[in-house]
Amino acid sequence: MFYNEDYLAELLAEAGVVSADEVAHSRNALSGGETIVEYLLAHSALSQEDVAKTLASNAGIPFIRLADVAFDPGITETISDEIAKRYRVIPVQDEGPTLTIALADPLDFESLDSLPHVIGRELSLVCVTQQDIQEHLRQFYHTGETAAAGASEYSVTGGDAEAGPSGSDAPIIRLVMQLLTEAFRLRASDIHIEPLETSVRVRYRLDGKLVHVDTHPKKLLPAIIARLKVMSGSMSIAEKRLPQDGRIQLKMGDKEVDLRVSSVPSNHGESIVMRILDKTALLLGLPELGFFSDDQQVFEGLLGLPDGILLVTGPTGSGKTTTLYACLNVINKPDKKIITVEDPVEYELPGINQVMVKTDIGMTFAAALRAMLRQAPNIIMIGEIRDAETANIAINASLTGHLVFSTLHTNDAPSAVARLADIGVKPFLIASAVRAVLAQRLVRKLCPLCKAPAMLTDKEMRALSLDSSRMTEATIFGPVGCEKCRGNGYKGRMGIFETFIIDDEVRTMINTGLTTTQLRRRARELGMRTLREDGIRKVLAGLTSGSEVVHATMSDAD
């Protein structure tokens, strides 16, 4: 008997091992204590190996046949006969810190969560057939089929050595898939699974705002965490004391979705945050990002430069990486060789060579950049300039005929000059290499179905430096709320931008060591539109609200 027979039957149908009609027929034909899978094994072409291979594929672990394994002498001593019988597992290979074990039911997440604690080892899993488990339990531990089969009806919860019936446990796989599917449907950017003292809180980040969506009993946390770690394929179920990172790839309908998974131990248990990387973002053009036609024309001109550095700046979560990807999407042509170095690679771009930073083996941004330059690229994208070494290599690349894209953490565009100087880049190199800096923020877009004419408050009018004469030229809209936008009046986000062009006059100012304030003042005189001013244009165009722009541009000096 498997932990979740109904879900397993659905998996078998999805994998094409049995038909949906066979599953439906088996449900109607069940009698006595027979399960769906048992009926299918007896009355269809389904084999135990088909079941095991489907489970292994779903769990992201290898399928093996124990008859093919050359067991080491004394391998059975790594697991006591009591634990082997209770959990229906067989030790396969002892590799020092890691013990490989075979099991027939990777859907039993309560047991999977408890096994590392019960055995006291870090575990690597492989999947085998139920028959393989029964035969080797009999061979290794001298147990009969009855005892072995009976053991499968129990699971251990939360690392506790007390066993209890698993039939009443929540369907963890369905719960986890429901969380992921609903987050994708609502276009959430993040999923937060947070352990509290007596419960588990689930929140989605929708259009930049965290929204509480569900609460679950605390006892479900270990199984939820274990399921997500197994799905990631690279995270250890046994390790709960250290942070871990992983990645889950799913297909939602006809869309492929990547989730970047991060687990961190907290005082009430492990906390999981998943960043949803929707690959449709790769198709975004500059208008979809929020560029008006005049700004788009200027920025497309910058993308056509043969060399130099183009920087995108802003705080974490301001959409810098999405903008870089959109830029690469615009210039990705067969006659251009483009290489990126990222930490991590968030989206896989067709036709582009992407390198992931791995600091633990010495593959830093700087090391990757040095190697990339020997690949003769036309265009280089650096995920972020973090130190002087990376910055100087990027500048040297730009001065030797490469177009370089990267990001910095600064509040506005002119501050990028001071930031580069702070990390050790000489002013004359900044002036020579950097062609332009784009600062950006994200603001929520008003829901087009329910937005309604509104008045700005006096506080918003003062903050946005608007007077009544400008108000007569446009209709201001505000949020209302409808079913489509879940009642909050906003749907989706767009960028507001500040483009700082470094021309000959600005280069002279940088070389003479002028301050950021002086650079910003001169840039304004030369026609630079600030973040707040671009936001005002989008308020007057009815795309967003005054409060959104005020909130997003609180640091705007003007």
Side-chain angles (χ1 to χ4, degrees):
M1 183 179 294
F2 291 94
Y3 181 80
N4 194 323
E5 295 276 341
D6 284 334
Y7 183 71
L8 176 53
E10 291 178 12
L11 284 181
L12 293 168
E14 288 176 7
V17 181
V18 296
S19 68
D21 289 341
E22 286 177 307
V23 172
H25 174 74
S26 66
R27 284 198 174 97
N28 296 328
L30 290 179
S31 61
E34 193 175 33
T35 68
I36 296 176
V37 176
E38 287 171 344
Y39 184 91
L40 288 168
L41 286 167
H43 297 90
S44 73
L46 180 71
S47 68
Q48 286 207 16
E49 193 163 299
D50 292 331
V51 175
K53 286 180 177 178
T54 302
L55 285 168
S57 176
N58 178 70
I61 61 177
F63 164 79
I64 68 168
R65 300 177 184 89
L66 292 180
D68 299 334
V69 176
F71 291 98
D72 295 330
I75 188 68
T76 56
E77 297 176 7
T78 58
I79 299 179
S80 70
D81 58 352
E82 179 185 354
I83 292 173
K85 295 171 190 176
R86 169 170 289 180
Y87 293 96
R88 294 174 53 76
V89 295
I90 298 293
V92 174
Q93 188 174 13
D94 190 352
E95 298 177 318
T98 303
L99 177 67
T100 299
I101 63 169
L103 74 170
D105 190 3
L107 297 182
D108 186 355
F109 295 110
E110 295 288 349
S111 293
L112 288 179
D113 185 65
S114 302
L115 274 168
H117 303 281
V118 174
I119 297 175
R121 298 284 297 277
E122 181 175 340
L123 300 180
S124 176
L125 307 178
V126 295
C127 189
V128 299
T129 64
Q130 293 271 21
Q131 184 178 359
D132 242 356
I133 288 290
Q134 289 173 3
E135 289 177 356
H136 283 76
L137 282 173
R138 190 184 309 113
Q139 177 184 339
F140 286 179
Y141 297 103
H142 312 292
T143 183
E145 287 187 20
T146 303
S152 70
E153 297 179 5
Y154 295 89
S155 63
V156 176
T157 59
D160 192 341
E162 295 297 323
S166 66
S168 61
D169 290 330
I172 297 301
I173 293 179
R174 290 181 183 276
L175 173 61
V176 169
M177 282 307 299
Q178 181 183 348
L179 290 176
L180 302 182
T181 303
E182 184 68 5
F184 181 74
R185 186 184 70 81
L186 295 174
R187 301 186 65 82
S189 60
D190 303 273
I191 304 170
H192 295 249
I193 299 175
E194 303 162 319
L196 305 179
E197 187 174 2
T198 59
S199 62
V200 179
R201 179 174 64 184
V202 179
R203 294 192 289 177
Y204 297 158
R205 190 176 294 278
L206 302 172
D207 296 331
K209 304 291 183 181
L210 272 176
V211 178
H212 180 272
V213 294
D214 215 342
T215 301
H216 298 290
K218 185 66 174 288
K219 67 180 182 181
L220 296 184
L221 179 66
I224 293 172
I225 299 295
R227 172 59 180 163
L228 290 169
K229 286 183 175 180
V230 168
M231 291 176 71
S232 78
S234 60
M235 301 172 74
S236 170
I237 298 173
E239 181 57 72
K240 297 185 175 183
R241 301 163 299 171
L242 297 174
Q244 295 187 71
D245 294 303
R247 193 162 190 155
I248 296 172
Q249 293 183 312
L250 295 173
K251 193 160 187 177
M252 302 274 191
D254 59 348
K255 292 185 178 180
E256 291 184 359
V257 181
D258 284 357
L259 294 97
R260 205 168 72 205
V261 187
S262 169
S263 71
V264 174
S266 70
N267 57 333
H268 294 304
E270 283 186 281
S271 172
I272 290 272
V273 175
M274 289 172 281
R275 169 70 61 86
I276 300 176
L277 306 173
D278 181 0
K279 292 186 177 180
T280 57
L282 299 180
L283 305 176
L284 292 177
L286 298 181
E288 288 81 12
L289 294 179
F291 281 94
F292 279 164
S293 57
D294 53 351
D295 285 339
Q296 180 182 339
Q297 186 175 2
V298 170
F299 202 64
E300 285 178 344
L302 295 171
L303 298 182
L305 292 173
D307 56 29
I309 296 180
L310 301 180
L311 293 172
V312 180
T313 75
T316 301
S318 59
K320 300 186 298 296
T321 302
T322 301
T323 297
L324 286 183
Y325 279 126
C327 293
L328 294 184
N329 194 42
V330 170
I331 60 178
N332 185 12
K333 308 296 181 190
D335 62 337
K336 303 287 186 184
K337 183 175 179 69
I338 304 175
I339 303 182
T340 75
V341 54
E342 305 169 65
D343 182 19
V345 174
E346 293 196 0
Y347 299 99
E348 293 182 6
L349 299 164
I352 293 178
N353 302 277
Q354 295 175 267
V355 179
M356 185 165 72
V357 169
K358 295 181 180 178
T359 54
D360 55 333
I361 61 171
M363 180 65 92
T364 61
F365 272 108
L369 267 174
R370 282 192 293 268
M372 285 164 56
L373 291 175
R374 294 193 288 271
Q375 298 280 312
N378 303 104
I379 298 161
I380 296 170
M381 187 194 94
I382 307 167
E384 182 183 349
I385 292 178
R386 301 178 177 178
D387 52 49
E389 186 179 14
T390 304
N392 282 310
I393 295 173
I395 284 175
N396 288 332
S398 73
L399 295 175
T400 53
H402 303 85
L403 182 60
V404 180
F405 295 90
S406 191
T407 69
L408 277 177
H409 287 275
T410 65
N411 286 332
D412 62 6
S415 297
V417 174
R419 174 63 182 148
L420 289 172
D422 285 343
I423 61 177
V425 182
K426 299 185 184 307
F428 76 91
L429 289 175
I430 300 172
S432 301
V434 181
R435 297 287 182 263
V437 183
L438 176 76
Q440 71 176 66
R441 298 289 189 278
L442 292 177
V443 295
R444 292 183 294 172
K445 294 191 291 186
L446 290 167
C447 175
L449 298 181
C450 65
K451 67 179 182 181
M455 297 290 292
L456 294 177
T457 66
D458 290 342
K459 183 178 180 180
E460 290 169 349
M461 293 275 287
R462 288 193 300 271
L464 299 175
S465 301
L466 287 173
D467 54 37
S468 56
S469 63
R470 293 192 68 182
M471 298 296 290
T472 59
E473 301 171 4
T475 302
I476 306 297
F477 288 87
V480 177
C482 65
E483 183 179 344
K484 192 73 173 177
C485 62
R486 300 183 80 244
N488 59 35
Y490 297 93
K491 190 169 180 60
R493 289 189 289 177
M494 67 187 308
I496 56 174
F497 305 100
E498 175 178 287
T499 306
F500 178 39
I501 306 292
I502 299 183
D503 58 13
D504 289 340
E505 183 174 350
V506 174
R507 289 190 187 94
T508 301
M509 296 171 68
I510 293 172
N511 281 323
T512 56
L514 292 185
T515 65
T516 298
T517 302
Q518 292 170 315
L519 283 175
R520 183 175 178 80
R521 184 180 302 119
R522 184 55 185 152
R524 294 290 311 283
E525 293 170 356
L526 294 172
M528 183 186 80
R529 185 181 296 110
T530 68
L531 287 164
R532 180 159 287 185
E533 287 169 342
D534 191 43
I536 291 170
R537 290 206 303 167
K538 285 157 186 173
V539 171
L540 297 176
L543 300 175
T544 188
S545 66
S547 60
E548 277 292 296
V549 172
V550 171
H551 177 74
T553 59
M554 290 295 289
S555 60
D556 195 321
D558 297 320

